[in-house]
Amino acid sequence: MMRVMKSIRMIAAPVIAVTFILVAWQIAVMMSGVSAFLVPSPLAIGQTMWASSDRLIGGAIQTAMASTIGFVIAAVIGILVGSMIAAVPFLRRSLYPLATILQMVPLVAVAPLLVIWLGFGLPTAIAAATVVAVFPVLAATIDGQVSVDPGLREFFLLHGASAWTRWRKLDLPASIPAIVTGLRIAAGLAVIGAIVGEFVSGYGGPNAPLGIVIMTAMREARTDLVFAAIALSAVVGFALFGAVSCLGWLLVSRWHASGVNSLEQSK
Amino acid sequence: MIRKLPTLDFQSVSRIFSGGVYALKEVSFSIPAGGLTAVIGPSGCGKTTLLRIAAGLERATTGSVKLIGPDGGAYERASENLSVCFQDARLLPWRNVTDNVALPLELAGVSRNERIARANQVIAAAGLSSAQARLPAQLSGGMRMRVALARTLVTSPDVLLLDEPCSAVDEFTRMQLDEEIFRVWQVSGATTMLITHSVSEAVWLADQIVVMNMGSIHEIRKVALPRNARNRTSAAFLLEVETVMRSLACAAGVVVE
């Protein structure tokens, strides 16, 4: 019963906050008389969402696809390259600073290059999502694996474990909590990367992605549609973040500090 | 089949850290085959360094640590016949008790069915069957150490190196763990080196005590008490504890009168 009440409280708090913001926004628009071109009311945005649902849902599916594929590629590259960098001190000294510097380069500046290399369309959006999402996973993997308990490493050394065995049975599982944190950050960034990729790669058609819907609506002076597309892109980001969080919870909740605390509280 | 246990022989072992700091100076002694030798001394006297050199985790600057077979020849040293238990339990937090105990066999390439069967045997012998599905975080500190001790037995080692396994527990749990260490030693029959801070623990468990200070051996003492006289409250036991305590105090330059 206590757990049900706790769950209700956890869900109720953000729902109340969002409702309050929407109501305040609606009242502010109505009272101020600001033009719907500048700031449409939440009700007007809702009506646009309903009226353009086919276009928005089709766009959201395209963006979700680009974000998810880009995120998965970033996760695989980040974990594998991060593990190699963590395992080899020379790579740690040479590649890690380079990766940090590359991460500072703004995606918007790189995106045109991706168009030159990959052309217009989905591959550029996927690549843009990968480029921005890969660094948090890489950094989290390296941090997680270099901070594995030296005592446990010694235990594996004593038992003659090879580097491959140690990675599979110690380094990788021990770094999962850190990797999950990196993946959660990467999930949000992947959606941002995909939208920027869509902005520059400009592929349209009946199922134009949300980035194109936003650009087209802007040119058509449809601020309500811009807001509706932004809201849906946030939903895509939240869904990806939620999926990664659930996966992380399944992997580490039984033994990681947060999960252990909840186990003890549930006794 | 009669087991041929090795003697653990330290021959003039020195360890010099950078800056010329001696952690160990010409340390020589032997642990007889199947015997239990406790090494005691104040913090920083080099006990743990000595154990780490015996385990192969550190190199001696000069001298050597050898395993000598019953025939006087070299004894083959392999990860399966040497087990180490450290101050901290060093259990993998995502594995349950059974999988943690079975880990040394897993690393040795033993099949899953066989390693689980052998792990369950040592878990049952340690009285931990009810906890075998639990994760380390769900165990008390004392139980975690008992799991670590059970893990040292799973490979049926010929040499056991125990590095202050009771240092992080309260006095009552320490006495329980001492009984567990005694059981582990008896069951394994292994040549055992125990590093400890506790004189009473050393006297209760060991048949030989090496008193160390500042990286050197101050005294090597045989514990003359018969096993059945090792009652912690008996006059003979307390006298032996006091004698070793005086030796330790003398080595450390502490006045006990």
Side-chain angles (χ1 to χ4, degrees):
Chain A
M1 190 63 189
M2 290 277 285
R3 292 180 75 182
V4 175
M5 289 299 290
K6 196 179 168 189
S7 303
I8 290 171
R9 273 204 301 274
M10 277 181 71
I11 296 166
V15 169
I16 290 168
V18 170
T19 309
F20 177 79
I21 290 166
L22 290 177
V23 170
W25 180 356
Q26 183 71 33
I27 292 169
V29 169
M30 285 164 66
M31 301 283 282
S32 66
V34 65
S35 159
F37 170 71
L38 288 176
V39 186
S41 69
L43 278 178
I45 295 167
Q47 281 165 355
T48 304
M49 277 177 128
W50 182 255
S52 308
S53 58
D54 287 352
R55 187 178 177 187
L56 287 168
I57 289 170
I61 289 170
Q62 287 291 317
T63 301
M65 199 161 68
S67 314
T68 307
I69 296 171
F71 169 78
V72 171
I73 295 171
V76 172
I77 292 174
I79 292 170
L80 291 181
V81 176
S83 299
M84 279 195 288
I85 291 175
V88 184
F90 172 75
L91 293 180
R92 208 152 66 224
R93 287 193 299 272
S94 58
L95 286 186
Y96 194 34
L98 189 67
T100 311
I101 291 165
L102 286 176
Q103 190 251 346
M104 305 289 181
V105 178
L107 174 67
V108 182
V110 176
L113 269 181
L114 298 176
V115 177
I116 293 168
W117 292 332
L118 300 169
F120 293 99
L122 185 64
T124 296
I126 291 172
T130 303
V131 167
V132 283
V134 76
F135 186 78
V137 187
L138 185 89
T141 305
I142 294 169
D143 286 349
Q145 295 193 5
V146 297
S147 53
V148 170
D149 181 356
L152 291 175
R153 281 175 176 268
E154 233 170 41
F155 181 84
F156 275 71
L157 180 72
L158 263 173
H159 287 88
S162 65
W164 169 240
T165 302
R166 201 190 68 204
W167 183 76
R168 283 188 302 128
K169 295 182 190 294
L170 175 65
D171 294 349
L172 185 62
S175 60
I176 283 177
I179 292 174
V180 167
T181 304
L183 289 175
R184 286 163 72 177
I185 297 167
L189 289 175
V191 180
I192 296 171
I195 299 261
V196 171
E198 288 161 4
F199 281 167
V200 294
S201 67
Y203 66 105
N207 283 327
L210 290 177
I212 299 302
V213 173
I214 291 168
M215 295 302 277
T216 312
M218 182 196 74
R219 289 190 198 102
E220 292 169 355
R222 293 277 314 276
T223 314
D224 54 342
L225 189 56
V226 173
F227 269 95
I230 291 170
L232 265 183
S233 61
V235 169
V236 171
F238 186 75
L240 197 53
F241 178 86
V244 172
S245 297
C246 284
L247 179 71
W249 187 85
L250 284 174
L251 288 172
V252 302
S253 66
R254 286 181 65 238
W255 60 271
H256 195 237
S258 52
V260 172
N261 289 340
S262 66
L263 271 175
E264 282 169 355
Q265 282 165 11
S266 67
K267 280 179 190 171
Chain B
M1 192 179 79
I2 299 167
R3 279 173 75 194
K4 293 178 177 175
L5 293 165
T7 297
L8 183 57
D9 195 38
F10 295 83
Q11 295 170 352
S12 303
V13 176
S14 293
R15 178 77 171 95
I16 309 166
F17 289 128
S18 56
V21 180
Y22 275 84
L24 294 170
K25 238 185 271 179
E26 299 282 328
V27 172
S28 297
F29 69 96
S30 284
I31 302 178
L36 196 161
T37 292
V39 180
I40 62 170
S43 296
C45 72
K47 310 183 293 288
T48 295
T49 306
L50 196 63
L51 179 134
R52 290 176 62 82
I53 291 171
L57 290 169
E58 280 187 39
R59 282 176 185 276
T61 311
T62 57
S64 61
V65 181
K66 285 184 178 156
L67 291 177
I68 300 168
D71 53 358
Y75 186 87
E76 192 194 351
R77 186 193 184 100
S79 56
E80 291 85 5
N81 61 26
L82 186 143
S83 262
V84 185
C85 184
F86 294 95
Q87 291 178 34
D88 48 339
R90 300 194 181 182
L91 304 176
L92 300 186
W94 54 90
R95 285 181 175 232
N96 64 24
V97 167
T98 302
D99 288 340
N100 262 299
V101 171
L103 184 60
L105 297 174
E106 189 177 333
L107 296 175
V110 175
S111 71
R112 179 163 177 81
N113 285 346
E114 191 187 334
R115 66 179 186 248
I116 295 299
R118 283 169 64 180
N120 285 339
Q121 266 177 12
V122 293
I123 288 167
L128 291 165
S129 294
S130 61
Q132 63 186 30
R134 288 202 219 158
L135 295 170
Q138 296 167 316
L139 304 173
S140 66
M143 277 182 91
R144 279 199 282 266
M145 280 317 299
R146 284 169 65 197
V147 173
L149 283 166
R151 186 176 58 185
T152 60
L153 279 185
V154 79
T155 50
S156 308
D158 294 335
V159 179
L160 266 178
L161 304 174
L162 309 174
D163 184 13
E164 299 184 48
C166 307
S167 65
V169 295
D170 60 80
E171 195 59 33
F172 181 70
T173 311
R174 175 190 284 269
M175 284 194 275
Q176 286 179 321
L177 279 176
D178 283 347
E179 286 180 18
E180 184 61 17
I181 291 168
F182 184 67
R183 189 192 68 79
V184 163
W185 174 58
Q186 281 203 312
V187 168
S188 67
T191 306
T192 302
M193 176 182 183
L194 169 71
I195 305 293
T196 180
H197 276 294
S198 165
V199 174
S200 65
E201 183 176 84
V203 173
W204 196 77
L205 283 167
D207 41 35
Q208 175 177 263
I209 295 176
V210 176
V211 180
M212 285 187 69
N213 188 47
M214 307 275 284
S216 302
I217 291 179
H218 175 72
E219 183 186 1
I220 298 174
R221 182 181 178 80
K222 301 282 179 198
V223 181
L225 286 174
R227 280 281 156 208
N228 56 10
R230 296 197 188 192
N231 179 334
R232 287 177 205 268
T233 55
S234 73
F237 179 84
L238 292 172
L239 184 65
E240 186 70 20
V241 168
E242 192 188 334
T243 309
V244 178
M245 190 80 86
R246 280 175 186 277
S247 173
L248 189 59
C250 174
V254 177
V255 179
V256 289
E257 296 303 334

